[in-house]
C-alpha cells in the first residue's frame, strides 16, 4: 500500500525538478540534442541487464510470494550472476570478493545504526514518551494544518542531521500516535515521512547528499550548496503539495481498492 501511495508523489517530485532543469537549460543556451528513437532503443538494449534489476525486484515483491528480505537476496544473486558471467565486469576470484567485502562494510555500518536506533525506540516506548507527546501536542496545537507544518519542519531538520534509516526507526513510534490524533492516515504519514527525509538529505548545513556531491565532483561544499538551493526550494514546494493534498497518495489506494 505504501509503495502504491508513493507513486504519484514520487512522479510529482521528479516532474517538478525536471521541468526546472529544462527551463534552466534553455536559459543558459545549452544546445539541445534532437530525439532519436534508435539511440534510445540502443541505450535501453545496452543497459538491459541493469534495467532488469529494479523490474525484477518490484515484480517479485508485488507478487506477494517473496518477502522484502528474500527479494533483496534474489537481487544480490542476480547482480552477481550478471556481473560475473554476462557482462563480466567482475571476476569471480579476483574482484568479486573485494566488492562483497566493501558492500558488507557498508551494510554493517547501517546495521550498527539501526541497532542503536532500535534500542532508543524500545526506551521511548517503555517510557511512554509517545503518550506524553500526544497530550502536549494536542494541548498546544489545535489545527491539523499547523500540526502538518510543524511535522514537516521537524522531519526536514531530522533528515539533514540523522541517517534516514535511524530516523524512521526512532521517530515512527513518536509520530504515529500524534498523526492519528489529528486524523492523518498512516499511509499518508508514511509518504510525508519519506518525502521530508529525502528533502533533508539536501538541506544545508549537514545534508548527507551535499557532502557526497562535493566529494564526488570535487567541488567546494559552498558551491554545491549555492547550486542546489533552487532544487531545494522546488522539492520543498513538492513536499508541501504532498502533505496538504492527501489525494495524491490516498487517492491511488482508493483507485486500486486498497482502502
Amino acid at each position: 500500500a505504501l509503495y502504491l501511495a508513493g507513486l504519484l508523489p514520487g512522479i510529482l517530485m521528479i516532474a517538478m525538478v525536471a521541468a526546472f532543469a529544462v527551463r534552466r537549460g534553455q536559459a543558459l543556451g545549452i544546445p539541445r540534442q534532437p530525439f532519436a528513437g534508435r539511440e534510445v532503443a540502443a541505450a535501453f538494449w545496452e543497459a538491459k541487464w541493469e534495467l532488469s534489476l529494479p523490474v525484477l525486484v518490484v515484480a517479485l515483491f508485488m507478487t506477494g510470494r517473496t518477502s522484502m528480505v528474500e527479494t533483496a537476496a534474489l537481487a544480490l544473486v542476480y547482480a552477481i550472476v550478471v556481473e560475473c558471467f554476462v557482462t563480466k565486469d567482475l571476476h569471480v576470484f579476483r574482484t568479486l570478493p573485494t566488492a562483497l567485502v566493501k558492500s558488507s562494510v557498508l551494510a554493517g555500518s547501517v546495521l550498527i545504526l539501526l541497532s542503536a536506533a532500535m534500542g532508543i525506540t524500545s526506551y521511548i516506548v517503555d517510557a511512554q514518551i509517545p503518550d506524553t507527546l500526544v497530550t502536549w501536542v494536542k494541548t498546544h496545537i489545535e489545527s491539523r494544518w499547523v500540526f502538518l507544518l510543524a511535522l514537516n519542519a521537524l522531519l526536514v531538520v531530522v533528515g539533514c542531521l540523522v541517517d534516514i534509516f535511524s530516523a524512521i526507526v526512532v521517530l515512527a513510534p513518536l509520530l504515529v500516535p500524534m498523526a492519528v490524533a489529528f486524523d492523518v492516515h498512516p499511509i499518508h504519514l508514511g509518504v510525508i515521512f519519506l518525502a521530508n527525509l529525502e528533502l533533508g538529505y539536501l538541506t544545508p548545513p549537514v545534508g548527507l547528499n551535499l557532502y557526497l556531491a562535493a566529494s564526488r565532483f570535487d567541488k567546494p561544499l559552498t558551491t554545491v550548496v549555492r547550486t542546489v538551493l533552487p532544487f531545494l526550494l522546488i522539492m520543498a514546494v513538492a513536499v508541501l503539495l504532498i502533505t496538504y493534498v492527501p489525494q495524491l497518495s490516498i487517492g491511488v489506494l482508493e483507485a486500486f481498492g486498497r482502502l
Side-chain angles (χ1 to χ4, degrees), residues 6-26:
L7 282 177
L8 282 183
I11 292 172
L12 173 67
M13 296 181 80
I14 292 173
M16 291 179 66
V17 172
F20 173 78
V22 171
R23 288 291 301 273
R24 186 63 178 161
Q26 293 174 340

Side-chain angles (χ1 to χ4, degrees), residues 148-213:
L148 289 174
L149 188 62
L151 175 65
N152 282 336
L154 171 65
L155 290 175
V156 169
V157 172
V158 170
C160 77
L161 295 174
V162 182
D163 171 75
I164 190 170
F165 303 108
S166 302
I168 290 172
V169 174
V170 173
L171 285 181
L174 293 173
L175 296 179
V176 169
M178 288 188 282
V180 171
F182 283 93
D183 197 28
V184 178
H185 195 283
I187 298 297
H188 184 215
L189 174 66
V191 175
I192 295 172
F193 208 108
L194 295 176
N196 274 284
L197 291 178
E198 185 65 28
L199 179 62
Y201 268 9
L202 285 175
T203 303
V206 289
L208 179 61
N209 282 350
L210 300 176
Y211 290 89
L212 292 176

